[in-house]
Amino acid sequence: MAIQPILKYPHPVLKKMAHRIERIDEEIRQLMQDLLDTMQNGPGSVGVAAPQIGVSLRACVVDVSQNRHGKDNNHGLLFMINPEITFKNGSATMREGCMSVPDYTGDVERATDITLSFTDGISGEQRQFQSTGFEAVAIQHEIDHLDGILFLDRISSISTGLFRRKNYR
Amino acid sequence: MPYRELTHYAVSVVGADRPGIVAGVTGALYRLGCNIADSSCAMLAGEFAMIMIVSHRKPFNKALLMEELKPACENLNLTLSVRHLTYREEKRQDDAGEICQITVYGADQPGIVYKVTENLAVRQINIMDLQTRLAGTEDNPVYVMQLEVVLPDGISSDDVVNLLKGLKDELKVEIGVRIVTPVEL
């Protein structure tokens, strides 16, 4: 078990396209464990992507089952390797925050209905399913990290002071 | 830089819109070594307004700030206002409560902003952002207002709907209320 520090922008790894994972070995299994430990350590966090802990590989974990937006509609704890969205539909705006961009939130529009395929980071099986609602938003946010995209690249407005959570103290 | 080493000012400028206002004002700030912490600019009926919280490493004073800003604003025909912020004033509203977005629109008439905000104020609902626009046509002007407020403990979005229900009929406006929940991903 190893909680890793979350890298913050402007760390360059966060803006890099992460590499595909060719096979699941001990190193990848350790990475999945680190991602899980790091997510569970982040207060209220529902996902962590490998670049956020300094590993430029296409792996992330998502779990919205403990979050009030996702508790009734989720696939539980997901260990995702090389995830790909093959279908997108609908759109909704949520005010997103990210551990890699502290003290800031912004409105981001994302699909509300996605079809996803990935290699399960534990079993190694290929999985495909449809995800909707908050889980779909969280997955899109994490996959963006694998493409070097931060929510800052997608915000529609920064118009109010409220968007910034910083306190001048 | 540690906060305590900085001194802060609220700076606002307003003037007839033209290209170069932002560059002219921020150029003066840059030459002084000032940082723009928070800022917001808006075009309001052809008037361009900038509001900024500006910081500078101590020692620094308002006279130095004015010396550089004043000529820039005179060149651009801008009305300038500068206020030194003390440490207390600078503290931000703690946004611990739920964030609520309220949209109000309807035929233009006096009192829309006042009556909505008065109802919010008596319940200690703090406004974080408010924008209004006069839209529609000259014959049928439509007033559109959008607010972001922070709900104190014990007040739900349904309470806000009920609070403003009376105004819906009185002013014949449409009122929409929705909770904005920031999510940490």
mmCIF file of all heavy atoms in Angstrom, chain A residues 6-7 11 13-18 31 35 48-60 100 142 144-148:
data_model
loop_
_atom_site.group_PDB
_atom_site.id
_atom_site.type_symbol
_atom_site.label_atom_id
_atom_site.label_comp_id
_atom_site.label_asym_id
_atom_site.label_seq_id
_atom_site.Cartn_x
_atom_site.Cartn_y
_atom_site.Cartn_z
ATOM 1 N N ILE A 6 -0.025 13.625 -5.098
ATOM 2 C CA ILE A 6 -0.704 14.054 -6.325
ATOM 3 C C ILE A 6 0.079 15.215 -6.935
ATOM 4 O O ILE A 6 0.329 16.225 -6.272
ATOM 5 C CB ILE A 6 -2.136 14.530 -5.999
ATOM 6 C CG1 ILE A 6 -3.012 13.348 -5.567
ATOM 7 C CG2 ILE A 6 -2.763 15.267 -7.179
ATOM 8 C CD1 ILE A 6 -3.568 12.529 -6.705
ATOM 9 N N LEU A 7 0.486 15.054 -8.179
ATOM 10 C CA LEU A 7 1.216 16.125 -8.849
ATOM 11 C C LEU A 7 0.252 17.238 -9.225
ATOM 12 O O LEU A 7 -0.887 16.996 -9.593
ATOM 13 C CB LEU A 7 1.906 15.595 -10.106
ATOM 14 C CG LEU A 7 2.927 14.486 -9.873
ATOM 15 C CD1 LEU A 7 3.549 14.061 -11.195
ATOM 16 C CD2 LEU A 7 4.012 14.932 -8.893
ATOM 17 N N HIS A 11 3.117 20.765 -13.392
ATOM 18 C CA HIS A 11 4.009 19.632 -13.623
ATOM 19 C C HIS A 11 3.809 19.117 -15.053
ATOM 20 O O HIS A 11 2.675 18.860 -15.467
ATOM 21 C CB HIS A 11 3.726 18.514 -12.619
ATOM 22 C CG HIS A 11 4.825 17.493 -12.573
ATOM 23 N ND1 HIS A 11 5.065 16.642 -13.623
ATOM 24 C CD2 HIS A 11 5.763 17.223 -11.642
ATOM 25 C CE1 HIS A 11 6.109 15.879 -13.319
ATOM 26 N NE2 HIS A 11 6.555 16.214 -12.127
ATOM 27 N N VAL A 13 4.167 16.344 -16.668
ATOM 28 C CA VAL A 13 3.582 15.027 -16.975
ATOM 29 C C VAL A 13 2.060 15.121 -17.144
ATOM 30 O O VAL A 13 1.451 14.344 -17.866
ATOM 31 C CB VAL A 13 3.983 13.973 -15.916
ATOM 32 C CG1 VAL A 13 3.221 14.156 -14.627
ATOM 33 C CG2 VAL A 13 3.781 12.555 -16.453
ATOM 34 N N LEU A 14 1.481 16.128 -16.486
ATOM 35 C CA LEU A 14 0.019 16.284 -16.557
ATOM 36 C C LEU A 14 -0.455 16.730 -17.935
ATOM 37 O O LEU A 14 -1.634 16.606 -18.259
ATOM 38 C CB LEU A 14 -0.451 17.284 -15.498
ATOM 39 C CG LEU A 14 -0.282 16.833 -14.056
ATOM 40 C CD1 LEU A 14 -0.498 17.992 -13.101
ATOM 41 C CD2 LEU A 14 -1.249 15.700 -13.736
ATOM 42 N N LYS A 15 0.449 17.268 -18.731
ATOM 43 C CA LYS A 15 0.069 17.751 -20.067
ATOM 44 C C LYS A 15 0.579 16.821 -21.173
ATOM 45 O O LYS A 15 0.526 17.162 -22.344
ATOM 46 C CB LYS A 15 0.606 19.178 -20.287
ATOM 47 C CG LYS A 15 -0.046 20.243 -19.416
ATOM 48 C CD LYS A 15 -1.558 20.338 -19.615
ATOM 49 C CE LYS A 15 -1.952 20.748 -21.036
ATOM 50 N NZ LYS A 15 -3.425 20.643 -21.244
ATOM 51 N N LYS A 16 1.082 15.649 -20.780
ATOM 52 C CA LYS A 16 1.605 14.703 -21.771
ATOM 53 C C LYS A 16 0.588 13.616 -22.106
ATOM 54 O O LYS A 16 -0.193 13.203 -21.252
ATOM 55 C CB LYS A 16 2.872 14.020 -21.226
ATOM 56 C CG LYS A 16 4.150 14.714 -21.653
ATOM 57 C CD LYS A 16 5.367 14.115 -20.990
ATOM 58 C CE LYS A 16 5.574 12.640 -21.261
ATOM 59 N NZ LYS A 16 6.796 12.131 -20.594
ATOM 60 N N MET A 17 0.625 13.140 -23.337
ATOM 61 C CA MET A 17 -0.182 11.984 -23.720
ATOM 62 C C MET A 17 0.459 10.750 -23.073
ATOM 63 O O MET A 17 1.653 10.499 -23.270
ATOM 64 C CB MET A 17 -0.160 11.879 -25.248
ATOM 65 C CG MET A 17 -0.938 10.738 -25.822
ATOM 66 S SD MET A 17 -2.711 10.986 -25.716
ATOM 67 C CE MET A 17 -3.035 11.729 -27.305
ATOM 68 N N ALA A 18 -0.328 10.007 -22.303
ATOM 69 C CA ALA A 18 0.231 8.830 -21.618
ATOM 70 C C ALA A 18 0.352 7.643 -22.581
ATOM 71 O O ALA A 18 -0.388 7.546 -23.559
ATOM 72 C CB ALA A 18 -0.654 8.465 -20.429
ATOM 73 N N LEU A 31 1.050 -0.320 -9.671
ATOM 74 C CA LEU A 31 0.511 0.990 -10.067
ATOM 75 C C LEU A 31 -0.978 1.065 -9.738
ATOM 76 O O LEU A 31 -1.457 2.072 -9.194
ATOM 77 C CB LEU A 31 0.743 1.206 -11.576
ATOM 78 C CG LEU A 31 0.051 2.422 -12.203
ATOM 79 C CD1 LEU A 31 0.552 3.728 -11.601
ATOM 80 C CD2 LEU A 31 0.257 2.437 -13.722
ATOM 81 N N LEU A 35 -2.731 3.725 -7.268
ATOM 82 C CA LEU A 35 -3.828 4.596 -7.698
ATOM 83 C C LEU A 35 -5.001 4.482 -6.721
ATOM 84 O O LEU A 35 -5.594 5.481 -6.322
ATOM 85 C CB LEU A 35 -4.282 4.232 -9.118
ATOM 86 C CG LEU A 35 -3.322 4.606 -10.252
ATOM 87 C CD1 LEU A 35 -3.786 3.987 -11.579
ATOM 88 C CD2 LEU A 35 -3.193 6.118 -10.404
ATOM 89 N N VAL A 48 -8.482 8.666 -9.758
ATOM 90 C CA VAL A 48 -7.109 9.138 -9.927
ATOM 91 C C VAL A 48 -6.560 8.496 -11.202
ATOM 92 O O VAL A 48 -6.788 7.311 -11.452
ATOM 93 C CB VAL A 48 -6.198 8.768 -8.730
ATOM 94 C CG1 VAL A 48 -4.748 9.177 -9.002
ATOM 95 C CG2 VAL A 48 -6.670 9.422 -7.443
ATOM 96 N N ALA A 49 -5.836 9.284 -11.979
ATOM 97 C CA ALA A 49 -5.220 8.771 -13.195
ATOM 98 C C ALA A 49 -3.708 8.699 -12.985
ATOM 99 O O ALA A 49 -3.134 9.512 -12.242
ATOM 100 C CB ALA A 49 -5.540 9.681 -14.376
ATOM 101 N N ALA A 50 -3.068 7.719 -13.649
ATOM 102 C CA ALA A 50 -1.636 7.479 -13.435
ATOM 103 C C ALA A 50 -0.767 8.735 -13.613
ATOM 104 O O ALA A 50 0.152 8.962 -12.809
ATOM 105 C CB ALA A 50 -1.162 6.350 -14.350
ATOM 106 N N PRO A 51 -1.031 9.590 -14.617
ATOM 107 C CA PRO A 51 -0.185 10.791 -14.739
ATOM 108 C C PRO A 51 -0.217 11.677 -13.488
ATOM 109 O O PRO A 51 0.760 12.374 -13.199
ATOM 110 C CB PRO A 51 -0.782 11.523 -15.944
ATOM 111 C CG PRO A 51 -1.415 10.440 -16.766
ATOM 112 C CD PRO A 51 -1.961 9.466 -15.757
ATOM 113 N N GLN A 52 -1.331 11.624 -12.751
ATOM 114 C CA GLN A 52 -1.427 12.451 -11.545
ATOM 115 C C GLN A 52 -0.458 12.012 -10.455
ATOM 116 O O GLN A 52 -0.162 12.775 -9.539
ATOM 117 C CB GLN A 52 -2.855 12.414 -10.969
ATOM 118 C CG GLN A 52 -3.884 13.142 -11.824
ATOM 119 C CD GLN A 52 -5.244 13.125 -11.165
ATOM 120 O OE1 GLN A 52 -5.949 12.126 -11.210
ATOM 121 N NE2 GLN A 52 -5.622 14.227 -10.533
ATOM 122 N N ILE A 53 0.001 10.760 -10.548
ATOM 123 C CA ILE A 53 1.017 10.321 -9.584
ATOM 124 C C ILE A 53 2.368 10.143 -10.300
ATOM 125 O O ILE A 53 3.250 9.422 -9.827
ATOM 126 C CB ILE A 53 0.590 9.065 -8.793
ATOM 127 C CG1 ILE A 53 0.288 7.880 -9.716
ATOM 128 C CG2 ILE A 53 -0.623 9.365 -7.917
ATOM 129 C CD1 ILE A 53 0.108 6.558 -8.956
ATOM 130 N N GLY A 54 2.481 10.785 -11.458
ATOM 131 C CA GLY A 54 3.786 10.858 -12.111
ATOM 132 C C GLY A 54 4.110 9.705 -13.041
ATOM 133 O O GLY A 54 5.259 9.562 -13.463
ATOM 134 N N VAL A 55 3.118 8.875 -13.363
ATOM 135 C CA VAL A 55 3.349 7.726 -14.241
ATOM 136 C C VAL A 55 2.611 7.962 -15.555
ATOM 137 O O VAL A 55 1.385 8.013 -15.583
ATOM 138 C CB VAL A 55 2.851 6.416 -13.583
ATOM 139 C CG1 VAL A 55 3.086 5.223 -14.511
ATOM 140 C CG2 VAL A 55 3.538 6.197 -12.236
ATOM 141 N N SER A 56 3.358 8.112 -16.634
ATOM 142 C CA SER A 56 2.724 8.456 -17.898
ATOM 143 C C SER A 56 2.261 7.210 -18.648
ATOM 144 O O SER A 56 2.733 6.894 -19.740
ATOM 145 C CB SER A 56 3.694 9.287 -18.749
ATOM 146 O OG SER A 56 2.981 9.953 -19.764
ATOM 147 N N LEU A 57 1.338 6.491 -18.014
ATOM 148 C CA LEU A 57 0.748 5.283 -18.604
ATOM 149 C C LEU A 57 -0.769 5.407 -18.563
ATOM 150 O O LEU A 57 -1.320 6.101 -17.694
ATOM 151 C CB LEU A 57 1.183 4.034 -17.813
ATOM 152 C CG LEU A 57 2.647 3.634 -17.921
ATOM 153 C CD1 LEU A 57 2.956 2.486 -16.974
ATOM 154 C CD2 LEU A 57 3.011 3.249 -19.362
ATOM 155 N N ARG A 58 -1.428 4.671 -19.502
ATOM 156 C CA ARG A 58 -2.881 4.815 -19.624
ATOM 157 C C ARG A 58 -3.601 3.904 -18.626
ATOM 158 O O ARG A 58 -4.093 2.832 -18.965
ATOM 159 C CB ARG A 58 -3.330 4.525 -21.056
ATOM 160 C CG ARG A 58 -2.669 5.476 -22.062
ATOM 161 C CD ARG A 58 -3.240 5.356 -23.450
ATOM 162 N NE ARG A 58 -4.532 6.011 -23.584
ATOM 163 C CZ ARG A 58 -4.707 7.321 -23.715
ATOM 164 N NH1 ARG A 58 -3.667 8.144 -23.735
ATOM 165 N NH2 ARG A 58 -5.915 7.811 -23.832
ATOM 166 N N ALA A 59 -3.615 4.354 -17.384
ATOM 167 C CA ALA A 59 -4.296 3.615 -16.319
ATOM 168 C C ALA A 59 -4.945 4.614 -15.372
ATOM 169 O O ALA A 59 -4.410 5.700 -15.131
ATOM 170 C CB ALA A 59 -3.297 2.751 -15.545
ATOM 171 N N CYS A 60 -6.121 4.229 -14.872
ATOM 172 C CA CYS A 60 -6.780 5.069 -13.873
ATOM 173 C C CYS A 60 -7.743 4.232 -13.047
ATOM 174 O O CYS A 60 -8.100 3.110 -13.435
ATOM 175 C CB CYS A 60 -7.519 6.235 -14.533
ATOM 176 S SG CYS A 60 -8.781 5.769 -15.716
ATOM 177 N N SER A 100 -5.253 17.923 -8.987
ATOM 178 C CA SER A 100 -4.050 18.441 -9.639
ATOM 179 C C SER A 100 -4.136 19.940 -9.933
ATOM 180 O O SER A 100 -3.167 20.541 -10.397
ATOM 181 C CB SER A 100 -3.783 17.682 -10.945
ATOM 182 O OG SER A 100 -3.425 16.347 -10.650
ATOM 183 N N GLU A 142 -11.119 11.397 -15.936
ATOM 184 C CA GLU A 142 -9.879 10.617 -15.749
ATOM 185 C C GLU A 142 -9.233 10.276 -17.093
ATOM 186 O O GLU A 142 -8.005 10.340 -17.223
ATOM 187 C CB GLU A 142 -10.157 9.338 -14.949
ATOM 188 C CG GLU A 142 -10.694 9.556 -13.530
ATOM 189 C CD GLU A 142 -9.934 10.594 -12.724
ATOM 190 O OE1 GLU A 142 -8.712 10.767 -12.895
ATOM 191 O OE2 GLU A 142 -10.586 11.275 -11.897
ATOM 192 N N ASP A 144 -9.387 12.028 -19.734
ATOM 193 C CA ASP A 144 -8.744 13.273 -20.161
ATOM 194 C C ASP A 144 -7.318 13.368 -19.615
ATOM 195 O O ASP A 144 -6.404 13.807 -20.319
ATOM 196 C CB ASP A 144 -9.549 14.492 -19.668
ATOM 197 C CG ASP A 144 -10.563 14.976 -20.706
ATOM 198 O OD1 ASP A 144 -10.602 14.409 -21.811
ATOM 199 O OD2 ASP A 144 -11.307 15.933 -20.393
ATOM 200 N N HIS A 145 -7.133 12.959 -18.351
ATOM 201 C CA HIS A 145 -5.781 12.994 -17.766
ATOM 202 C C HIS A 145 -4.808 12.146 -18.588
ATOM 203 O O HIS A 145 -3.628 12.489 -18.716
ATOM 204 C CB HIS A 145 -5.795 12.465 -16.329
ATOM 205 C CG HIS A 145 -6.183 13.495 -15.311
ATOM 206 N ND1 HIS A 145 -5.489 14.680 -15.144
ATOM 207 C CD2 HIS A 145 -7.188 13.529 -14.402
ATOM 208 C CE1 HIS A 145 -6.053 15.395 -14.182
ATOM 209 N NE2 HIS A 145 -7.094 14.725 -13.718
ATOM 210 N N LEU A 146 -5.299 11.038 -19.145
ATOM 211 C CA LEU A 146 -4.423 10.162 -19.931
ATOM 212 C C LEU A 146 -4.034 10.814 -21.260
ATOM 213 O O LEU A 146 -3.043 10.447 -21.875
ATOM 214 C CB LEU A 146 -5.104 8.811 -20.191
ATOM 215 C CG LEU A 146 -5.676 8.100 -18.945
ATOM 216 C CD1 LEU A 146 -6.270 6.764 -19.333
ATOM 217 C CD2 LEU A 146 -4.622 7.943 -17.858
ATOM 218 N N ASP A 147 -4.853 11.781 -21.678
ATOM 219 C CA ASP A 147 -4.574 12.502 -22.925
ATOM 220 C C ASP A 147 -3.898 13.850 -22.666
ATOM 221 O O ASP A 147 -3.776 14.678 -23.581
ATOM 222 C CB ASP A 147 -5.881 12.728 -23.701
ATOM 223 C CG ASP A 147 -6.480 11.414 -24.200
ATOM 224 O OD1 ASP A 147 -5.697 10.464 -24.442
ATOM 225 O OD2 ASP A 147 -7.706 11.333 -24.335
ATOM 226 N N GLY A 148 -3.501 14.089 -21.431
ATOM 227 C CA GLY A 148 -2.854 15.368 -21.102
ATOM 228 C C GLY A 148 -3.809 16.539 -21.092
ATOM 229 O O GLY A 148 -3.412 17.685 -21.297
#
